Amino acid sequence: MSDKSSNQMWGGRFAAGPDAIMEAINASIGFDKRMAAQDIAGSRAHAAMLAAKGIVTPSDAEAMREGLLTVLSEIETGDFAFSTALEDIHMNVEARLKEVIGEPAGRLHTGRSRNDQVATDFRLWVRDQLDAAEAGLKALMRALVAQADSGADWVMPGFTHLQTAQPVTWGHHMMAYVEMFARDLSRVQDARKRMNESPLGAAALAGTSFPIDRDMTATALGFDCPMANSLDAVSDRDFALEFLSVASISAMHLSRFAEELVIWSSAQFRFVTLSDRFSTGSSIMPQKKNPDAAELIRAKIGRIFGANVALMMVMKGLPLAYSKDMQEDKEQVFDAADNWMLALAAMEGMVKDMSANQPALEAAASAGFSTATDLADWLVRELDLPFRDAHHVTGSLVAMAEQKDCDLPDLSLDDMQSVHAGITAAVFDVLGVHNSVASRTSYGGTAPVRVREQVARWKDALA
Ligand code: ARG
């Protein structure tokens, strides 16, 4: 008989319990207790299946079902004493079940292993997070569409190289992010579809000789089907990596918008005012109102992408099937998920509350010769100049305006004609920023009519 201090779940062949350091490095209960609900759902599905297949008696299965519900409510109410000696959530739950229902608890682990158990729990947990991300992304997209709706025709500078390029509309800029988050959303949905297969019943690695019904447990847990290869089922974590890469791309999108909000809310830009609810003050400078939420969202990509890289490194080079290395999968994903959800919610809150400063946007839109391309296009259209020549003429006019320290529309017709004699007063129509944006009606362009079409499309899609 083994020493009493050896593990009650697997200590049969052990004469002594683990060293304290061994226990410390081995235990995952400190973090995998977050999968308690998933673990118990998996066990309930497994127990019901064991009874349906005559592998355990109906009365044992009923005892397991009730006992598992008791354990779940203990965990939910905080009445559960987690034990590091019991390593992980799987053995903590089973050991407690034994205390609650006695002998039948020992039959629950028939035809399964912690290897398929943990793979199942983790898939269920990640699947919940994908669903939460879907909700978070949609909420953020709705907030952006609302912003676009109220400012579909407000002009602002569009930038390339962060230099004024051409006027665009506020609505168009907001809708650009809607498109990005929509692709994040489709990646989330796509990942969910691919990962929604059940590892349960793969057992340790090779399947089991018990006549289990994997379709039954898969259905009970909301999976589309059981995974087709037991070695694969217990040994891959690509679903978690896919979650992290989708999260990384989305966090990258969030960081770009966050950066724009940081710039836009500065005294130098004043494009937007963030609400007090999503700003902070400085302890020394009384005038300060800081965009901390935006800065933190900008930074979240660090840990999220870090998690992606870390798990990729954990998985790289692992032989089939399960290796304990894979216990290092969870903390990365938990942390990334928490922070992605938080970033999505904070961004939604900021976008909902922020107000765009329409006069400041408009003033900035006209600065920096932003309608120079409109002038060049006019020369092509009205005077039939080749675009390259029109570009050159316009460049000379910009240089002239720069010299006179004025904007393009402030040049006189004489000034214009001194560069190209064919220019007429009609040119001034295209130099205004409103005409400029209104003219960009190509599909996907910044014209308010196009923006309103996109707003309507997304309002429908997100309703
Ligand atoms: N705590 C373990 C993990 O997270 C559960 C699986 C343990 N399996 C094993 N054969 N030791 O990966």
Side-chain angles (χ1 to χ4, degrees):
M1 202 55 209
S2 64
D3 183 287
K4 272 219 284 295
S5 61
S6 71
N7 189 293
Q8 58 175 284
M9 296 291 158
W10 48 247
R13 58 138 28 240
F14 284 74
D19 189 272
I21 297 293
M22 179 60 208
E23 193 171 287
I25 195 173
N26 198 38
S28 54
I29 189 61
F31 48 88
D32 68 14
K33 59 177 156 206
R34 286 190 68 172
M35 305 192 306
Q38 288 77 11
D39 193 69
I40 288 171
S43 287
R44 287 181 56 197
H46 186 67
M49 181 278 292
L50 290 178
K53 299 300 291 179
I55 302 167
V56 301
T57 63
S59 71
D60 279 356
E62 181 51 24
M64 290 177 203
R65 195 187 73 84
E66 278 178 25
L68 285 164
L69 288 174
T70 303
V71 176
L72 179 62
S73 83
E74 287 174 358
I75 292 173
E76 282 172 351
T77 55
D79 290 334
F80 190 97
F82 291 102
S83 150
T84 309
L86 288 165
E87 270 185 54
D88 57 26
I89 186 63
H90 325 295
M91 295 199 293
N92 268 268
V93 168
E94 194 184 317
R96 179 65 188 136
L97 184 67
K98 179 110 190 278
E99 288 170 4
V100 176
I101 68 169
E103 195 260 1
R107 301 182 187 278
L108 174 60
H109 214 50
T110 314
R112 77 169 185 190
S113 148
R114 274 189 295 156
N115 295 350
D116 59 337
Q117 206 179 344
V118 72
T120 303
D121 295 2
F122 198 30
R123 267 181 198 254
L124 291 172
W125 197 91
V126 170
R127 194 177 70 185
D128 285 349
Q129 296 302 307
L130 286 168
D131 291 342
E134 168 154 358
L137 282 163
K138 283 181 176 165
L140 173 56
M141 288 162 72
R142 278 188 207 101
L144 287 161
V145 170
Q147 281 286 350
D149 200 12
S150 42
D153 55 5
W154 300 352
V155 287
M156 67 179 283
F159 299 95
T160 59
H161 315 266
L162 199 55
Q163 308 287 322
T164 300
Q166 294 173 349
V168 296
T169 49
W170 169 258
H172 197 50
H173 201 114
M174 294 299 110
M175 294 308 288
Y177 282 104
V178 171
E179 294 292 331
M180 294 183 225
F181 292 123
R183 284 192 298 278
D184 292 345
L185 178 61
S186 93
R187 273 182 280 272
V188 163
Q189 292 164 337
D190 193 40
R192 191 192 194 284
K193 216 173 294 158
R194 188 162 25 255
M195 64 95 69
N196 201 31
E197 297 187 355
S198 174
L200 193 57
L205 76 167
T208 175
S209 56
F210 291 100
I212 60 171
D213 182 346
R214 294 190 59 208
D215 287 294
M216 182 177 167
T217 48
T219 303
L221 295 170
F223 288 116
D224 297 327
C225 58
M227 292 179 76
N229 184 299
S230 60
L231 290 165
D232 172 44
V234 297
S235 72
D236 206 356
R237 295 292 182 267
D238 61 349
F239 64 94
L241 283 165
E242 216 170 314
F243 174 80
L244 292 173
S245 48
V246 171
S248 295
I249 294 172
S250 179
M252 175 275 292
H253 286 150
L254 286 164
S255 79
R256 296 186 69 175
F257 192 38
E259 164 73 351
E260 296 201 314
L261 294 180
V262 170
I263 295 173
W264 291 354
S265 61
S266 69
Q268 288 69 22
F269 270 75
R270 294 194 321 107
F271 283 8
V272 296
T273 306
L274 300 175
S275 74
D276 287 356
R277 298 186 337 131
F278 284 92
S279 311
T280 55
S282 156
S283 54
I284 177 167
M285 298 166 282
Q287 86 286 8
K288 291 292 290 279
K289 191 172 159 189
N290 294 327
D292 291 38
E295 295 169 84
L296 288 163
I297 293 169
R298 185 173 60 184
K300 291 293 184 196
I301 176 84
R303 63 208 294 164
I304 294 172
F305 188 63
N308 191 8
V309 174
L311 183 55
M312 193 67 92
M313 290 304 103
V314 167
M315 296 306 296
K316 179 206 165 289
L318 286 186
L320 300 188
Y322 178 85
S323 296
K324 194 64 173 249
D325 308 50
M326 287 154 65
Q327 180 166 288
E328 290 286 309
D329 56 1
K330 287 172 267 309
E331 283 167 291
Q332 302 296 341
V333 173
F334 292 167
D335 184 74
D338 290 345
N339 283 283
W340 185 22
M341 301 314 148
L342 191 54
L344 285 169
M347 187 59 99
E348 184 213 346
M350 263 194 304
V351 173
K352 258 187 180 160
D353 276 19
M354 76 182 178
S355 49
N357 182 352
Q358 193 191 352
L361 291 171
E362 178 150 352
S366 339
F369 314 110
S370 65
T371 53
T373 315
D374 299 86
L375 173 52
D377 288 350
W378 185 90
L379 294 168
V380 170
R381 226 177 16 247
E382 301 300 323
L383 306 186
D384 200 27
L385 260 57
F387 183 76
R388 279 292 150 228
D389 298 350
H391 188 282
H392 197 79
V393 169
T394 306
S396 306
L397 288 167
V398 166
M400 181 185 285
E402 212 163 27
Q403 213 169 27
K404 292 180 182 256
D405 199 22
C406 68
D407 282 322
L408 279 174
D410 305 325
L411 292 174
S412 68
L413 186 56
D414 281 349
D415 290 336
M416 299 261 189
Q417 289 174 338
S418 73
V419 176
H420 192 286
I423 298 178
T424 68
V427 76
F428 289 101
D429 287 347
V430 301
L431 298 182
V433 288
H434 286 282
N435 287 339
S436 168
V437 295
S439 73
R440 296 221 151 73
T441 52
S442 54
Y443 180 75
T446 201
V449 302
R450 293 287 93 89
V451 172
R452 291 205 171 91
E453 285 166 7
Q454 294 301 321
V455 166
R457 177 167 81 88
W458 279 110
K459 267 187 174 170
D460 250 20
L462 293 166

